[in-house]
Amino acid sequence: MTTKTYRAGTMKEALAQVRRDLGGHAVILNTREVRGRRLFGLGRREMIEVTAARDAPADVAIAMPAVATLSLPSQFGEQLGHLHAMVERLSRQGAIDHLLPDIPGELVPTYATLLEAEVPEILARRLVRHVAERIEPDEIHKPEAVRDALRDAVESCLPIAPPISVVPGTRKVVALVGPTGVGKTTTVAKLAANFKLAHGLRPGLVTVDTFRIAAVEQLRTYAEIIDLPLAVANSPAEMRKAIDSLGDVDLVLIDTAGRSPRDEVKIRELADFLAVARPDEVHLVLSATSGERSLRSAVERFAVVRADRLILTKLDEAEGLGGVLAVIGQANRPISYLTTGQAVPDDIEPADRTRLAALILGQEAVV
Ligand SMILES: Nc1nc2c(ncn2[C@@H]2O[C@H](COP(=O)(O)OP(=O)(O)OP(=O)(O)O)[C@@H](O)[C@H]2O)c(=O)[nH]1
Ligand SMILES: [Mg+2]
């Protein structure tokens, strides 16, 4: 009996090789997963190794043609049906993606780039598959084409909101909420300064952050420098009066106290303030330097204040934005602004899909 070994990316391909080489009566003696070297030694890939023989030894039970006619007791058939449905469901949910050897060799370096940017493995595989499906076969060897296709794939995960639009003479109310220290107050100051200086509008500020002694002073300092009215609301009951006290403004920007996503009571309190303010938009401010789990929990916990947009801050400080990408992709809320430094009013820009994708992929620098 001659035995031979075949390797391929999938079981189907390996069996096709066996059939081609040994014909339909080949016998499969063994199959196993092995790790194969890839292009330029970059990365490794699971491969299927099949050992097959031309003549069946007496004790080999299942030869290839026999598989098709193998009849199972009916209860096994039913259980197999359930198992099949379960695998399909898990596959649809992406839960077994990591088991699939589904990345073309040419795109392994792309996959490695994503992992380096701290994109979670399952998402990285999905993005690479997206690239593999869209790119023309003769383009897959061209780094430029792969790079552009990858950016397109990342862009498709990034919902973008238009910048705040203000109609002179009508009053728009916008609140910024978020975890502690992410840059809410600084971002309020940047927005206010830009609307006043660049667009000639009349913004006013409200703060509900009376919990820290320095918090009101921080915003008051900005209000004085930019020359804007400022009102303080100490309780939800004072909120309406505070907004009205600003007089004839086009845009009311509400700065709120940083809340730990774990502190549900404080987040509810914030919701009470906003219920009175009835803002037109609530932007959840997230720092790009935060880890994926913290970001995810902030998105979940601040849902009670009806945050409908995201502002991404500290892009200048962040390394490895893959976690941010994963969270944004699932948060179901578009991104309105990006901030890129401490300077008021300069370090803010309306979110741009191509720019953000390039930043995430390290294809572009912040400044
Ligand atoms: N590098 C960098 N620093 C920023 C950015 N935005 C804000 N900061 C800094 O982050 C720190 C905290 O900013 P704040 O605006 O006080 O943050 P906050 O969310 O209002 O904080 P709390 O009110 O305490 O919850 C300050 O030192 C800011 O200068 C940014 O885009 N990049
Ligand atoms: Mg603040």
Side-chain angles (χ1 to χ4, degrees):
M1 183 177 66
T2 19
T3 65
K4 286 180 88 172
T5 302
Y6 303 83
R7 282 188 179 186
T10 65
M11 179 64 82
K12 200 171 154 198
E13 283 165 26
L15 292 179
Q17 283 183 32
V18 174
R19 266 181 205 280
R20 265 199 310 274
D21 201 31
L22 300 182
H25 290 282
V27 175
I28 307 303
L29 300 176
N30 189 30
T31 66
R32 63 183 185 124
E33 277 195 349
V34 292
R35 286 181 167 259
R37 274 200 169 279
R38 299 311 308 267
L39 204 67
F40 310 122
L42 264 171
R44 287 166 167 272
R45 179 186 182 186
E46 300 293 342
M47 299 191 83
I48 302 295
E49 186 183 84
V50 175
T51 308
R54 191 185 294 277
D55 301 310
D59 58 348
V60 172
I62 304 173
M64 282 178 71
V67 174
T69 57
L70 199 66
S71 69
L72 293 166
S74 65
Q75 75 271 27
F76 284 163
E78 204 176 298
Q79 281 175 5
L80 268 180
H82 286 315
L83 268 176
H84 192 250
M86 189 167 87
V87 170
E88 261 195 2
R89 197 175 61 247
L90 287 170
S91 172
R92 267 202 308 278
Q93 290 167 355
I96 56 171
D97 275 11
H98 61 293
L99 297 176
L100 306 174
D102 51 359
I103 296 177
E106 296 84 349
L107 296 181
V108 169
T110 304
Y111 180 59
T113 306
L114 289 170
L115 294 189
E116 252 165 52
E118 291 177 27
V119 177
E121 205 176 315
I122 289 181
L123 177 57
R125 276 180 183 264
R126 250 180 231 153
L127 290 168
V128 173
R129 277 205 302 270
H130 189 280
V131 171
E133 280 159 18
R134 312 271 155 129
I135 201 163
E136 296 294 329
D138 59 333
E139 300 262 278
I140 201 164
H141 302 283
K142 299 181 187 159
E144 282 282 290
V146 171
R147 192 186 125 109
D148 290 351
L150 180 62
R151 202 174 55 219
D152 284 350
V154 170
E155 282 183 30
S156 70
C157 303
L158 298 174
I160 301 292
I164 300 167
S165 73
V166 181
V167 179
T170 63
R171 190 168 68 186
K172 179 161 256 182
V173 179
V174 175
L176 269 63
V177 300
T180 55
V182 291
K184 297 176 295 298
T185 304
T186 313
T187 306
V188 162
K190 288 171 181 173
L191 288 169
N194 276 293
F195 275 105
K196 174 160 175 151
L197 305 173
H199 302 282
L201 292 161
R202 296 165 40 82
L205 307 180
V206 173
T207 180
V208 302
D209 191 351
T210 53
F211 304 92
R212 286 182 306 114
I213 294 167
V216 177
E217 285 318 305
Q218 185 191 2
L219 197 63
R220 198 186 301 284
T221 308
Y222 283 123
E224 277 168 13
I225 296 169
I226 310 164
D227 188 21
L228 300 171
L230 167 74
V232 180
N234 288 295
S235 66
E238 287 183 18
M239 183 51 113
R240 181 71 15 223
K241 213 172 74 200
I243 293 178
D244 291 342
S245 75
L246 295 174
D248 199 10
V249 293
D250 312 304
L251 174 65
V252 177
L253 288 164
I254 303 177
D255 184 25
T256 61
R259 298 295 195 213
S260 158
R262 293 184 187 183
D263 194 339
E264 280 184 34
V265 175
K266 288 262 166 62
I267 292 183
R268 271 226 184 90
E269 224 171 79
L270 182 56
D272 292 341
F273 273 98
L274 296 187
V276 180
R278 278 189 277 118
D280 298 290
E281 297 174 10
V282 178
H283 298 236
L284 171 60
V285 183
L286 295 176
S287 166
T289 60
S290 304
E292 187 186 338
R293 279 177 62 188
S294 311
L295 292 169
R296 217 176 277 287
S297 104
V299 170
E300 279 165 18
R301 298 300 174 88
F302 280 92
V304 295
V305 301
R306 298 176 197 276
D308 48 11
R309 284 138 215 254
L310 304 178
I311 292 178
L312 209 49
T313 60
K314 307 197 185 185
L315 281 158
D316 54 311
E317 274 185 25
E319 307 226 22
L321 292 167
V324 172
L325 174 66
V327 175
I328 292 171
Q330 290 173 349
N332 225 358
R333 288 173 186 78
I335 308 156
S336 53
Y337 290 93
L338 309 176
T339 83
T340 54
Q342 293 180 290
V344 177
D346 289 341
D347 293 339
I348 188 165
E349 57 197 58
D352 177 89
R353 187 173 279 121
T354 306
R355 160 116 162 117
L356 184 54
L359 287 174
I360 289 171
L361 292 170
Q363 295 177 354
E364 196 171 299
V366 163
V367 275

